[in-house]
Amino acid sequence: MKNRGVYLGLALAAILLVFGVWVLSFFGSTLTIKRVAMDSEAAAKRVAVPAAQALFNPPRPEDAPESIRAEVMLGYKIMTETSKYAGEYVSKDSKLSCSSCHFEGGRSMESFSLVGVGATYPRYRDRNEYTVDLGIRIQGCFDRSMNGTPPPLDGQIIQSLLVYLQWISKDIPIYAKLPWAIPESMDNPHKPDAANGEKVYKDVCARCHGPNGEGTDIAPPVWGDDSYNDGAGMHRVRTLSIFAWRFMPKNAPSLTQEEALDVAGYIHEQPRPKFVPTHPDKIERLIPLTEGK
Ligand code: HEC
Ligand code: HEC
């Protein structure tokens, strides 16, 4: 009967082993769950996730090769000081620049970044019902976001912007999926409450954007005559809310998604210029492009 002791010992050892593995896997999995939760939170709030970091590496304008450097530098200046370098096409004393929404000439991930656009255009756009190239896309931002008029496609301004945007898209694979691409919406069913939005605006935004949305020395206007017009992407509540939630206040975003939707709803109701089409941005469609959509 001494075998019985051995069997008992073996059984006990087996039970301990199974229990040990279970305990380990339990803690292991809660640890992973916690880490994943933190990652996706970080990813949702600020776009700077490790996966994005690996692709996101825009070179500095001044490091462009000599053959394109002058044009890259000019494109960068047009982005950051638009009324100075493209004054004919926007209001001369406009406080808005491309960089007001695409910070640091589109090189910052903490805004609607333009890194990679050189590799992801031409592209089909529902608004235009046609495939648009990057030049036409930029014209749209002059027309609507800057409330200006579009510079000609073959002129110095668009051409320099194209060279610049191409340069900051260096090493991004053609038609890569960009983790920092401008998303459609926050996917939050909350209905914007403009009355609460007014409160959020006064408490959080007014100190930089002015009590009447008119802008200050610190930040550009968010409504009124000098703001983007009602044809701009930022005029959509879903676009403005995601911008406000992710990036505002600048460098220290603090809103909840609901507050962001509310403040976007409030700003959406304020007066701003009307979009007047100055060029046909619907191109005649010769062959229907419905397949594969
Ligand atoms: C008031 C904010 C604002 C300003 C100013 C602005 N943009 Fe934009 N831009 C947006 C928004 C919002 C989108 C994307 C939403 C959309 O589809 O309309 C966008 C999209 C773009 C895109 C396409 C990006 C992509 O991933 O498809 C390009 C290129 C661009 N802008 C360039 C410019 C240039 C160049 C200027 C200056 C002449 C400019 N933008 C000024 C808000 C702005
Ligand atoms: C600490 C100052 C500060 C605060 C507070 C702030 N912003 Fe901004 N905001 C900026 C600056 C600066 C820019 C332009 C960035 C640049 O030029 O680099 C900007 C840009 C913007 C833009 C795009 C450009 C434009 O003017 O249309 C919008 C929209 C915007 N902010 C909305 C908001 C909202 C909504 C709030 C409140 C939730 C807010 N901001 C709070 C500083 C601020």
Side-chain angles (χ1 to χ4, degrees):
M1 282 294 108
K2 67 171 182 235
N3 273 354
R4 214 168 136 189
V6 173
Y7 284 136
L8 218 75
L10 276 178
L12 210 76
I15 289 169
L16 275 174
L17 193 77
V18 169
F19 180 71
V21 167
W22 177 77
V23 167
L24 272 179
S25 68
F26 177 76
F27 279 107
S29 64
T30 40
L31 278 183
T32 339
I33 288 168
K34 248 201 197 132
R35 213 180 38 236
V36 168
M38 269 169 59
D39 275 354
S40 55
E41 221 171 76
K45 184 81 187 167
R46 305 180 144 279
V47 206
V49 279
Q53 285 292 7
L55 255 188
F56 193 92
N57 192 21
R60 299 185 313 163
E62 51 272 43
D63 293 339
E66 175 120 37
S67 58
I68 56 165
R69 194 178 309 139
E71 226 169 357
V72 168
M73 291 305 295
L74 178 59
Y76 178 68
K77 286 179 181 152
I78 297 170
M79 293 284 311
T80 52
E81 298 169 78
T82 313
S83 56
K84 182 164 168 201
Y85 289 93
E88 289 166 65
Y89 300 99
V90 296
S91 131
K92 278 261 184 271
D93 39 32
S94 173
K95 288 197 227 155
L96 272 181
S97 281
C98 311
S99 280
S100 302
C101 302
H102 310 291
F103 301 170
E104 291 162 39
R107 293 177 72 256
S108 164
M109 213 198 285
E110 304 296 306
S111 72
F112 285 161
S113 175
L114 296 179
V115 170
V117 287
T120 54
Y121 280 82
R123 189 199 295 175
Y124 183 88
R125 281 201 95 207
D126 285 332
R127 180 196 273 163
N128 308 66
E129 293 179 11
Y130 202 77
T131 302
V132 299
D133 63 23
L134 196 49
I136 295 174
R137 183 66 190 83
I138 294 171
Q139 284 188 321
C141 262
F142 269 95
D143 230 3
R144 299 158 184 262
S145 297
M146 297 293 299
N147 189 37
T149 49
L153 286 175
D154 58 358
Q156 177 88 71
I157 289 172
I158 298 279
Q159 288 303 313
S160 305
L161 285 168
L162 287 176
V163 178
Y164 167 76
L165 292 173
Q166 194 78 6
W167 172 243
I168 65 165
S169 304
K170 187 172 175 296
D171 296 336
I172 305 270
I174 300 289
Y175 294 116
K177 196 168 169 10
L178 307 175
W180 56 88
I182 305 172
E184 276 289 306
S185 73
M186 289 195 292
D187 212 9
N188 182 324
H190 175 76
K191 222 175 145 285
D193 170 357
N196 188 51
E198 178 172 13
K199 199 177 155 322
V200 174
Y201 185 82
K202 289 192 167 129
D203 289 351
V204 186
C205 323
R207 73 185 159 97
C208 292
H209 290 285
N212 297 308
E214 72 280 32
T216 65
D217 287 343
I218 305 169
V222 282
W223 70 80
D225 291 348
D226 301 328
S227 188
Y228 54 87
N229 66 42
D230 66 3
M234 205 62 111
H235 184 57
R236 291 189 300 247
V237 171
R238 60 181 154 92
T239 306
L240 173 53
S241 62
I242 205 157
F243 183 89
W245 177 61
R246 279 196 172 167
F247 311 125
M248 284 296 129
K250 199 183 174 199
N251 298 327
S254 64
L255 302 185
T256 63
Q257 291 199 345
E258 290 73 21
E259 286 169 336
L261 281 158
D262 293 350
V263 80
Y266 170 67
I267 292 175
H268 183 82
E269 287 180 357
Q270 308 309 310
R272 66 179 61 259
K274 273 209 87 53
F275 170 55
V276 185
T278 52
H279 73 310
D281 73 353
K282 269 195 177 23
I283 300 162
E284 192 190 348
R285 197 150 30 126
L286 301 176
I287 306 167
L289 272 176
T290 44
E291 252 172 68
K293 272 208 78 217

